[in-house]
Amino acid sequence: MRVYCNPVNVPYAYQFKKDPRDRYKMTVNREAADPSMVMFQGKYYLFASMTGSVWVSEDMAHWDSYPLPENMPIYDYAPDVRAIGEYLYFTASSRDVKCSFYRTKDPIHGPYEEIPGYMDYWDPNLFQDDDGRLYFYWGCANATPIWGIELDPATMEPMGQKKDLIFGDPYHIGYERFGEDHCEEPKSQAEIDALFQEFLDQCGEDADKIPEANKAMIRATYAGMPYIEGAWMTKHAGKYYLQYACPGAEFNVYADGVYVADAPLGPFHLAENNPFSYKPGGFLPGAGHGSTMQDRRGQWWHTATMRISKNHVFERRVGIWPAGFDDVGNLYCNQRYGDWPYIIEDIEKDPWADPRWYLLSYRAKVTSSGCEKGHEAALVVDENVQTWWKAKELDAEPWLCLDLETCDHVHVVQINFADDMENRIDCPGSLVAGPDMERYIDCNIHPTRWLLEGSADGRDWTVLVDKRQAQTDLPHDYVVFEDGIDLRFIKLTIIDVPYHVLPSVSGIRVFGNGDGKRPEMARAQVEQTDARDMVVSAVSDESVCGYNILWGHAPGKLYHSCMVMGACQAYKVGALVEGQSYYVRVDAFNKNGITHGKEICLPMV
């Protein structure tokens, strides 16, 4: 059985940054984003920003990390990778510097041959059509579009003039609106001027240190316009699917939309199913700036960026979800339970199948060896990656213990470690000047060590996993019990974490099957309040843990989803597209299963 649980379980590298947006204060956090995933020579390769590495898999479930050669531009964002012939081609982003391509026949060991570049760009994407012609797409801004151009396959030199392909339109496309839950509308020039001046005033004397180019970028962040970025091209059944990310990587609603055309450079029109990759709720939200590929069996997958953005705006992770095309060519991605365990054999049979295992740990009782104020133990079961328990200072062997209150059949335990800005960590290397900030990527492995024990009655304990001598650093590690094990209590004892700081845990997430009843069918009310928004309320019984709001453009094609934990009262979904009809269903779930709701047809507004 091949099982995985988002985010991808790899050693996310620590970043030491001095960002002008943070007034050059040193921040420390892990980061990986903007993933490009491809199949090459029978294996799967995943490249992500700011990791200094390539992740490699044989089965799409287990990934190993390998460092990239020193000649690779690991400090450039949004690495793009494509398999073309016997080579894997790589490029990444820079400003005011011509960006090179690199190619290799061995992505793990190299060498990577450099092909000198002809232009600078941000968020690149290379695509080879069936006839061998090469096309290139790029763009990352809230005032300019995604561009496209043809390249000479022999020299990688641009041919002809670039074409404008996709512009942002938050006035009609709800999911492009800025802010958490699409809460912001575009701002006037006067509003932008006032917000930028307020930022400069807060910087004080440091404002003079900010380069003019950086000031322009910072000023643009106050516009309330979506960043149209992260292009990725997929061809299917003779159609060209140009995918793009919006509105901003720091928001829970970071998404991938898609336009469709009959030719690689358009003209493009907005696809019927949008945004096709969208995960605003759950433990770890966000599903933007990614890539789409087929595995050896023909199953489609989409990988994208997930958002933490607590210690730094670019504190991010990587997720993978099943994807595909429906009978009329709509590109879709299933993120209904997108940070719960996936069983790949089940996905291969039906990418829309409900999960076998359910969340058991939400709001469980938790005790601990102690905590720092504001970081209490209950925060490890609130299904919010932006909150965490933090061990009490001088605690030599901190621990947490979950009481599920009933003896449940446990199949997966995921342990999510957090980073806390109050921890003092000295930068172990020299900062490298980049186009947006100074940074050092620590690619060294700092072991994360712990012991996991379980009990059915709180008296007799069994060691579930012993990683007290581990040499790995996996901040989102998980363990799988294929046959399941009956447990009520689960205890985590932490031995060591990177840099030997006070450990923090954002989530101990337990999945399996309870022995009770599923919740009652949700009694749902849905009102479309304008062309881009609908408001959803739902009520089930006391056993309910949460609700999944599903919607789509046609009956039975509810491809979009938003998970709401706890109560669902007047929850606003702001991702609608003007001029479309919508169908909505609200499912209720608890630790015993999922109860599907009734489909509701909304009148067009």
Side-chain angles (χ1 to χ4, degrees):
M1 182 183 289
R2 292 172 290 157
V3 180
Y4 77 94
C5 189
N6 284 320
V8 178
N9 188 27
V10 290
Y12 293 87
Y14 274 94
Q15 319 283 312
F16 295 79
K17 310 174 194 177
K18 287 188 175 181
D19 189 334
R21 288 167 292 195
D22 295 324
R23 299 189 291 279
Y24 295 100
K25 176 185 176 182
M26 178 72 83
T27 60
V28 184
N29 63 269
R30 300 177 192 257
E31 180 182 359
D34 320 319
S36 289
M37 183 170 66
V38 297
M39 185 174 68
F40 181 64
Q41 297 176 349
K43 294 184 179 180
Y44 306 107
Y45 295 90
L46 202 160
F47 293 74
S49 294
M50 304 303 149
T51 65
S53 61
V54 54
W55 305 337
V56 185
S57 177
E58 298 272 1
D59 61 4
M60 293 293 297
H62 306 91
W63 295 84
D64 295 312
S65 181
Y66 297 91
L68 287 171
E70 291 184 358
N71 70 316
M72 298 294 284
I74 66 170
Y75 283 85
D76 289 352
Y77 265 111
D80 174 63
V81 181
R82 284 285 185 166
I84 298 178
E86 59 182 351
Y87 288 99
L88 197 68
Y89 281 75
F90 174 105
T91 190
S93 311
S94 192
R95 294 188 180 91
D96 302 322
V97 176
K98 293 178 180 179
C99 302
S100 292
F101 284 90
Y102 300 79
R103 68 179 189 178
T104 184
K105 296 181 179 180
D106 185 348
I108 296 175
H109 305 101
Y112 283 75
E113 171 193 355
E114 183 175 1
I115 304 171
Y118 290 90
M119 61 180 182
D120 67 330
Y121 40 73
W122 206 267
D123 285 6
N125 179 237
L126 182 66
F127 167 71
Q128 184 181 44
D129 206 349
D130 299 335
D131 57 8
R133 294 170 71 176
L134 280 183
Y135 298 89
F136 191 68
Y137 308 89
W138 75 101
C140 175
N142 60 0
T144 54
I146 299 289
W147 291 290
I149 200 168
E150 187 172 359
L151 299 183
D152 184 331
T155 65
M156 308 300 285
E157 184 175 358
M159 299 168 58
Q161 298 295 314
K162 68 181 181 182
K163 290 190 175 182
D164 299 346
L165 302 181
I166 298 176
F167 281 93
D169 182 13
Y171 303 99
H172 303 94
I173 300 175
Y175 66 85
E176 288 188 352
R177 281 178 295 176
F178 218 56
E180 287 286 295
D181 295 318
H182 309 294
C183 64
E184 294 186 34
E185 296 287 353
K187 294 181 175 60
S188 68
Q189 288 299 316
E191 290 173 317
I192 297 170
D193 291 341
L195 289 167
F196 181 61
Q197 186 58 53
E198 182 181 346
F199 166 78
L200 293 177
D201 292 342
Q202 291 174 350
C203 290
E205 295 180 357
D206 289 337
D208 296 332
K209 302 177 185 177
I210 303 173
E212 289 303 315
N214 288 63
K215 286 184 179 180
M217 287 189 290
I218 295 169
R219 189 181 187 282
T221 64
Y222 295 111
M225 288 293 289
Y227 280 75
I228 304 301
E229 57 192 28
W232 184 270
M233 172 62 79
T234 300
K235 187 177 184 181
H236 176 71
K239 297 288 186 179
Y240 297 85
Y241 294 78
L242 183 54
Q243 298 139 66
Y244 72 105
C246 65
E250 66 270 37
F251 303 124
N252 68 316
V253 291
Y254 197 38
D256 280 337
V258 59
Y259 279 69
V260 185
D262 294 321
L265 293 178
F268 286 90
H269 66 271
L270 188 68
E272 189 175 35
N273 180 53
N274 262 304
F276 82 93
S277 176
Y278 187 71
K279 187 188 177 303
F283 173 69
L284 188 57
H289 195 146
S291 56
T292 305
M293 57 144 268
Q294 276 183 294
D295 67 16
R296 289 189 295 264
R297 297 172 179 264
Q299 170 64 46
W300 288 94
W301 298 91
H302 186 68
T303 179
T305 307
M306 306 184 81
R307 181 275 279 160
I308 297 178
S309 299
K310 188 67 174 179
N311 295 305
H312 185 273
V313 68
F314 287 161
E315 183 182 16
R316 299 173 290 176
R317 301 292 189 264
V318 172
I320 300 174
W321 300 275
F325 295 86
D326 69 11
D327 54 348
V328 294
N330 281 306
L331 174 60
Y332 63 76
C333 185
N334 181 8
Q335 288 138 337
R336 290 180 179 177
Y337 299 91
D339 50 35
W340 290 19
Y342 281 100
I343 301 172
I344 293 180
E345 287 84 354
D346 290 352
I347 292 170
E348 291 170 347
K349 295 176 184 177
D350 179 6
W352 290 104
D354 281 344
R356 285 195 216 177
W357 304 324
Y358 313 111
L359 181 65
L360 305 176
S361 51
Y362 180 58
R363 292 181 177 172
K365 293 182 179 179
V366 190
T367 54
S368 75
S369 57
C371 66
E372 291 293 304
K373 186 177 180 181
H375 296 285
E376 288 75 23
L379 296 176
V380 304
V381 292
D382 67 351
E383 284 294 288
N384 182 355
V385 75
Q386 290 189 322
T387 63
W388 53 81
W389 165 85
K390 184 177 182 180
K392 196 167 184 63
E393 195 166 358
L394 303 179
D395 190 343
E397 197 168 274
W399 57 265
L400 289 152
C401 187
L402 273 61
D403 178 359
L404 304 179
E405 298 189 65
T406 57
C407 195
D408 297 325
H409 206 51
V410 173
H411 282 275
V412 175
V413 180
Q414 184 194 47
I415 301 168
N416 298 272
F417 288 90
D419 295 309
D420 191 300
M421 284 287 288
E422 294 180 2
N423 293 326
R424 300 288 181 178
I425 306 174
D426 294 328
C427 182
S430 300
L431 297 177
V432 175
D436 55 348
M437 69 184 76
E438 296 179 54
R439 156 194 324 255
Y440 174 75
I441 304 174
D442 187 356
C443 294
N444 296 306
I445 294 295
H446 302 275
T448 300
R449 294 171 173 161
W450 43 269
L451 176 70
L452 192 69
E453 299 170 278
S455 173
D457 56 14
R459 295 186 300 272
D460 297 323
W461 291 82
T462 301
V463 173
L464 302 176
V465 183
D466 188 345
K467 291 203 171 187
R468 286 177 290 184
Q469 301 298 322
Q471 296 300 318
T472 54
D473 177 17
L474 300 171
H476 303 281
D477 206 357
Y478 63 91
V479 294
V480 179
F481 310 102
E482 287 192 20
D483 296 328
I485 181 170
D486 292 330
L487 297 171
R488 174 175 171 176
F489 299 93
I490 295 172
K491 182 179 180 181
L492 174 69
T493 303
I494 303 169
I495 309 304
D496 199 9
V497 295
Y499 309 110
H500 314 297
V501 298
L502 288 177
S504 299
V505 177
S506 58
I508 301 177
R509 309 177 70 227
V510 184
F511 298 90
N513 304 102
D515 62 359
K517 295 181 179 180
R518 299 183 181 196
E520 295 177 354
M521 180 186 293
R523 301 180 296 281
Q525 293 183 331
V526 185
E527 179 186 4
Q528 188 168 352
T529 53
D530 67 27
R532 299 169 298 168
D533 300 309
M534 65 178 175
V535 175
V536 180
S537 296
V539 178
S540 181
D541 57 46
E542 292 182 355
S543 73
V544 71
C545 289
Y547 302 87
N548 224 345
I549 303 169
L550 314 179
W551 71 96
H553 61 279
K557 295 187 176 183
L558 310 182
Y559 297 148
H560 316 298
S561 62
C562 178
M563 182 180 288
V564 181
M565 300 303 300
C568 181
Q569 298 178 349
Y571 186 91
K572 189 179 88 168
V573 174
L576 308 186
V577 178
E578 185 175 320
Q580 274 200 343
S581 297
Y582 284 98
Y583 297 80
V584 185
R585 189 181 91 203
V586 181
D587 295 348
F589 61 88
N590 62 15
K591 63 164 62 180
N592 308 307
I594 300 165
T595 302
H596 293 182
K598 293 182 179 180
E599 199 167 284
I600 300 169
C601 177
L602 294 183
M604 186 182 295
V605 173

